[in-house]
Structure formats: structure tokens, C-alpha cells
């Protein structure tokens, strides 16, 4: 449209060349009316104001496009293709923390944990307050059995996200941190259980259950302790909770039957 206006205001014999690849317009004006020359010159000078933003956007599109393509491929489960796109993205944009974040996710999905760790740490180093790679790094560290490191990342998410709009990341980090803390108490309880320090072990299991009510192992071990301590009601409550969480847990069914049998409830014992 702009070229048509330019031609309208410029009369005479003209030669116009438009190179689409280099985004350059060449106009050779051989003859024109003075006032039309002025208007035509104005349009020519201001043409970059209309055209340059498109050129800039076009030059930026491939890199941004690669990240978006990688995200879409991750979402659809095409992890190898996503990895290829995201490797290309970080090669073109080595200072882009978003590209490294999704590259880390691609490696994580492919169970290439060391490479996922490196990519996510790179993303964090480029932008320390970028919350998403901290969540991803927590996942990777969990998979690598580094519970302390994972908990540290989730706590960092909660610190960075405080008072911000990152509600989903905060929720994920909070839930996983709570679960890991519950797991720590359960593992401590198991150590005490193996040492026959039952009262102390029971205390740790109860803390674990309070933090993670669906922790089947903690309920089961608590039931064993209550059974040894001669507390039938607590024993039954613990094993019944195990069966609620794992209906096919044969051992829990058997132990409930054993408790009923010991206390003379033969009908219930036979049912179990």
C-alpha cells in the first residue's frame, strides 16, 4: 500500500526495485513534479517507521518459535523432538533462561538427570528469581535421591514466590516440600523402629502421618507398634487406614484378623 501511495505522488519515468530478502527498497527517480517530489520523499523517509518493526519481529520469531515448539512437543509427549528444538533454541539464544528451563524439562522427561540438572542450573544462573526452574530442579534432585537438595529448592520457590502471582508453582513446591518433610520423619521412625525404640518411632510416625495423611507405610508401622504395645483400638485404626489406602493389602487384612482373634472377636477374625 505504501509503495502505491509513493507511486501516486511521484510522476515521471521511475525505476523501482524491491528486494524481499534483504528488506531494502531501491527507487531511482528520473523525473517528477516538485511538490510531488516532496510528498514522495516524505513517504520514502518514513517508510522504515512502518516496515522496520515487521523486520525486527521476523528476525526474532525463529528463536521464540523454537521455544514454543519445544513446549508444545513436551506437552504432547514428543520428548526427543522437543529436545532437538530446545537445543537449537539455546544455541541461538544462549542467554535465554526460559529456553534452558524447558531444555531441563526435556532431559528430565527422558530420564537424563545429569543433563537436566545442568540445564536447569544454567537457567537459574541467568535469572536467579525465575521461579519455574527451581521447581524443576527440585523434581530432578528428588529423582536423584537428594532429598535435602530438593527441599532446599522448594523452600527457595516459596521464598521467591511470596507475595507474587506464581500460585501454581508455590502450591506444587509447598505440597512436595511437605511430603518430603513427612518422608524424613517416617525414615527417622523406621530407624528407631529397627532399634526397637518403639515410643520414639511412634512419635516420628505420627508426625509423618499428620503431615501426609496418605502415607501408607507410616500407618502400617504405627499399627505394628500399637500391636506390640497391646493397644488393640489404635492397632485396628492404623490397619484399617492402610486398607482404605490399599484395599488389597493382604498383610493388613491378616493383622486385623489376628487382633480380633486375640481379643475373642472370632466372627470378625474369620471374616478378615
Amino acid at each position: 500500500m505504501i509503495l502505491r501511495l509513493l507511486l501516486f505522488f511521484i510522476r515521471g519515468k521511475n525505476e523501482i526495485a524491491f528486494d524481499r530478502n534483504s528488506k531494502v527498497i531501491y527507487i531511482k527517480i528520473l523525473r517528477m513534479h516538485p511538490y510531488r517530489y516532496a510528498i514522495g520523499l516524505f513517504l520514502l523517509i518514513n517508510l522504515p517507521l512502518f516496515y522496520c518493526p515487521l523486520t525486527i519481529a521476523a528476525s526474532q520469531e525463529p528463536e521464540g518459535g523454537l521455544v514454543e515448539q519445544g513446549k508444545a512437543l513436551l506437552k504432547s509427549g514428543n520428548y526427543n523432538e522437543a529436545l532437538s528444538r530446545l537445543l537449537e533454541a539455546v544455541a541461538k539464544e544462549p542467554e535465554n533462561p526460559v529456553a534452558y528451563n524447558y531444555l531441563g524439562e526435556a532431559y528430565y522427561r527422558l530420564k537424563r538427570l545429569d543433563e537436566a540438572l545442568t540445564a536447569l542450573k544454567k537457567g537459574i544462573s541467568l535469572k536467579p528469581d525465575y521461579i519455574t526452574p527451581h521447581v524443576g530442579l527440585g523434581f530432578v534432585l528428588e529423582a536423584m535421591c537428594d532429598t535435602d537438595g530438593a527441599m532446599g529448592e522448594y523452600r527457595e520457590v516459596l521464598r521467591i514466590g511470596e507475595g507474587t502471582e506464581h500460585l501454581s508453582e508455590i502450591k506444587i513446591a509447598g505440597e512436595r516440600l511437605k511430603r518430603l518433610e513427612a518422608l524424613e520423619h517416617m525414615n527417622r521412625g523406621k530407624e528407631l523402629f529397627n532399634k526397637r525404640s518403639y515410643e520414639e518411632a511412634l512419635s516420628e510416625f505420627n508426625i509423618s502421618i499428620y503431615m501426609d495423611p496418605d502415607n501408607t507405610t507410616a500407618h502400617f508401622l504405627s499399627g505394628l507398634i500399637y500391636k506390640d504395645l497391646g493397644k488393640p483400638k489404635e492397632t485396628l485404626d492404623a490397619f484399617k487406614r492402610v486398607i482404605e489406602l490399599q484395599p488389597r493389602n493382604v498383610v493388613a487384612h491378616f493383622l486385623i484378623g489376628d487382633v480380633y482373634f486375640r481379643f475373642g472377636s472370632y466372627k470378625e477374625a474369620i471374616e478378615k
Side-chain angles (χ1 to χ4, degrees), residues 12-24:
K13 188 178 179 181
N14 309 298
E15 292 180 9
I16 300 175
F18 177 49
D19 185 319
R20 292 182 177 274
N21 294 322
S22 61
K23 310 295 191 296
V24 176

Side-chain angles (χ1 to χ4, degrees), residues 141-174:
L141 291 169
E142 275 194 67
M144 298 176 81
C145 299
D146 184 355
T147 302
D148 290 338
M151 290 170 66
E153 289 303 318
Y154 295 141
R155 290 190 181 106
E156 185 66 7
V157 170
L158 298 180
R159 185 191 69 78
I160 295 171
E162 186 177 4
T164 68
E165 299 177 353
H166 301 286
L167 298 180
S168 60
E169 290 89 347
I170 292 170
K171 182 180 179 182
I172 292 170

Side-chain angles (χ1 to χ4, degrees), residues 180-203:
L180 288 177
E181 289 174 342
L183 183 63
E184 274 200 332
H185 284 286
M186 191 192 73
N187 289 335
R188 199 173 298 132
K190 287 168 71 175
E191 291 176 5
L192 292 165
F193 180 87
N194 292 331
K195 294 177 181 178
R196 299 182 181 276
S197 301
Y198 294 137
E199 294 286 353
E200 294 176 61
L202 187 59
S203 177

Side-chain angles (χ1 to χ4, degrees), residues 114-133:
D114 289 331
E115 290 157 299
L117 192 75
T118 301
L120 291 165
K121 284 185 175 181
K122 177 64 175 178
I124 291 170
S125 70
L126 291 170
K127 190 176 181 182
D129 62 346
Y130 180 24
I131 199 169
T132 309

Side-chain angles (χ1 to χ4, degrees), residues 173-238:
E175 288 175 350
R176 295 188 80 90
L177 177 60
K178 192 173 182 179
R179 186 180 62 78
L180 288 177
E181 289 174 342
L183 183 63
E184 274 200 332
H185 284 286
M186 191 192 73
N187 289 335
R188 199 173 298 132
K190 287 168 71 175
E191 291 176 5
L192 292 165
F193 180 87
N194 292 331
K195 294 177 181 178
R196 299 182 181 276
S197 301
Y198 294 137
E199 294 286 353
E200 294 176 61
L202 187 59
S203 177
E204 292 295 334
F205 290 143
N206 285 336
I207 294 172
S208 180
I209 290 168
Y210 175 78
M211 300 181 76
D212 182 9
D214 296 337
N215 190 325
T216 308
T217 303
H219 285 291
F220 184 84
L221 293 174
S222 295
L224 291 179
I225 292 174
Y226 284 129
K227 185 172 181 290
D228 285 345
L229 294 175
K231 296 183 177 182
K233 181 182 182 304
E234 290 82 354
T235 304
L236 289 173
D237 288 344

